[in-house]
């Protein structure tokens, strides 16, 4: 999804994205486009090479940290939603384990370097979901409030499940609506831009139509002139 006026606006004219797995410098976090001599475009967060789905691209670094460092346990919409297929199919007991938290070991930045962290995952929503063309029993809907490295794959592996498909369908209140096919992109709506912090909430006056603003100004002028005449 493309944040208007923050994401590079030449994607339309240059043919879009050609590679999201890395560039010639082997930067796995790089986003390559068909454009040359453009501003740097990078993803907000990660999406494993084996995974598919939604990723936000930006050239505005000011919105990145607030999205990736959302306060857990709040009503913030900075959560990630996935559709996950496993082998074997998850049982009801597996779903309860995943939802309650699984102890996994991941890497994280600490004191300027990388370190292994072994800790339980936070409780999360896990439920069966019906997807188009899928089996009603096989696909799980998982919503995370944290973003540890390869978290869902590690969680499933810890209880004997292999992830065979992982598709991100939502992030921070943004969905895949308008860019369902691989490689497609779409401009965020005003509500989505507000949700991720790329646009401030409009004031009451900004929501008024030009006609209403003109009427209110005329009313104020008339009221002011009336007071002056009474003096």
């Amino acid at each position: 999804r493309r944040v208007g006026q923050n994401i590079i606006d030449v994607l339309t004219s240059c043919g879009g994205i050609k590679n999201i797995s890395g560039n010639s410098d082997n930067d796995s976090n790089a986003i390559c486009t068909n454009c040359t001599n453009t501003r740097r475009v990078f993803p907000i967060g990660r999406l494993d090479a084996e995974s598919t789905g939604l990723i936000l691209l930006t050239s505005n670094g000011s919105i990145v940290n607030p999205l990736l460092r959302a306060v857990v346990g709040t009503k913030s919409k900075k959560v990630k939603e996935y559709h996950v297929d496993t082998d074997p199919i998850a049982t009801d007991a597996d779903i309860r384990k995943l939802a309650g938290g699984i102890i996994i070991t991941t890497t994280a930045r600490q004191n300027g370097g990388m370190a292994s962290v072994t800790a339980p995952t936070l409780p999360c929503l896990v439920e069966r979901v019906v997807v188009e063309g899928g089996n009603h029993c096989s696909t799980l809907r998982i919503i995370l409030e944290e973003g540890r490295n390869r978290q869902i794959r590690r969680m499933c592996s810890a209880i004997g499940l292999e992830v065979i498909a992982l598709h991100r369908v939502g992030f921070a209140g943004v969905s895949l609506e308008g860019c369902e096919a691989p490689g497609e992109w779409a401009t965020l709506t005003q509500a989505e831009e507000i949700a991720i912090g790329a646009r401030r909430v409009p004031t009451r006056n900004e929501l008024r139509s030009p006609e209403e603003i003109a009427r209110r100004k005329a009313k104020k002028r008339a009221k002011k002139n009336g007071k002056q005449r009474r003096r």
Side-chain angles (χ1 to χ4, degrees), residues 72-121:
V72 175
T74 68
K75 293 183 179 180
S76 168
K77 293 186 179 301
K78 299 173 180 64
V79 296
K80 294 171 282 292
E81 179 178 347
Y82 300 86
H83 288 169
V84 183
D85 289 330
T86 65
D87 181 26
I89 294 174
T91 64
D92 290 344
D94 292 332
I95 291 176
R96 288 192 293 270
K97 290 178 182 177
L98 292 170
I102 301 289
I103 296 176
I104 60 174
T105 299
T106 56
T107 56
R109 293 188 179 277
Q110 288 187 354
N111 302 321
M114 301 300 294
S116 294
V117 177
T118 300
T121 58

Side-chain angles (χ1 to χ4, degrees), residues 11-31:
L11 283 175
T12 304
S13 59
C14 72
I17 301 167
K18 69 177 182 182
N19 182 20
I20 62 171
S21 62
N23 62 15
S24 58
D25 296 324
N26 295 320
D27 180 359
S28 60
N29 290 322
I31 296 292

Side-chain angles (χ1 to χ4, degrees), residues 27-150:
D27 180 359
S28 60
N29 290 322
I31 296 292
C32 298
T33 71
N34 293 326
C35 313
T36 59
N37 299 322
T38 60
R39 296 167 61 189
R40 178 178 176 237
V41 180
F42 54 91
I44 300 176
R46 300 179 297 264
L47 191 62
D48 296 336
E50 304 97 322
S51 304
T52 59
L54 172 67
I55 191 162
L56 294 175
L57 308 180
T58 185
S59 56
N60 178 6
S62 66
I63 66 173
V64 176
N65 280 343
L67 281 171
L68 298 183
R69 298 179 182 178
V71 179
V72 175
T74 68
K75 293 183 179 180
S76 168
K77 293 186 179 301
K78 299 173 180 64
V79 296
K80 294 171 282 292
E81 179 178 347
Y82 300 86
H83 288 169
V84 183
D85 289 330
T86 65
D87 181 26
I89 294 174
T91 64
D92 290 344
D94 292 332
I95 291 176
R96 288 192 293 270
K97 290 178 182 177
L98 292 170
I102 301 289
I103 296 176
I104 60 174
T105 299
T106 56
T107 56
R109 293 188 179 277
Q110 288 187 354
N111 302 321
M114 301 300 294
S116 294
V117 177
T118 300
T121 58
L122 293 174
C124 60
L125 173 66
V126 183
E127 61 184 7
R128 301 189 194 280
V129 65
V130 177
V131 297
E132 185 177 353
N135 186 306
H136 74 283
C137 292
S138 65
T139 301
L140 300 179
R141 174 176 179 245
I142 300 179
I143 298 181
L144 300 179
E145 289 191 37
E146 58 181 341
R148 297 168 64 180
N149 182 252
R150 299 178 68 86

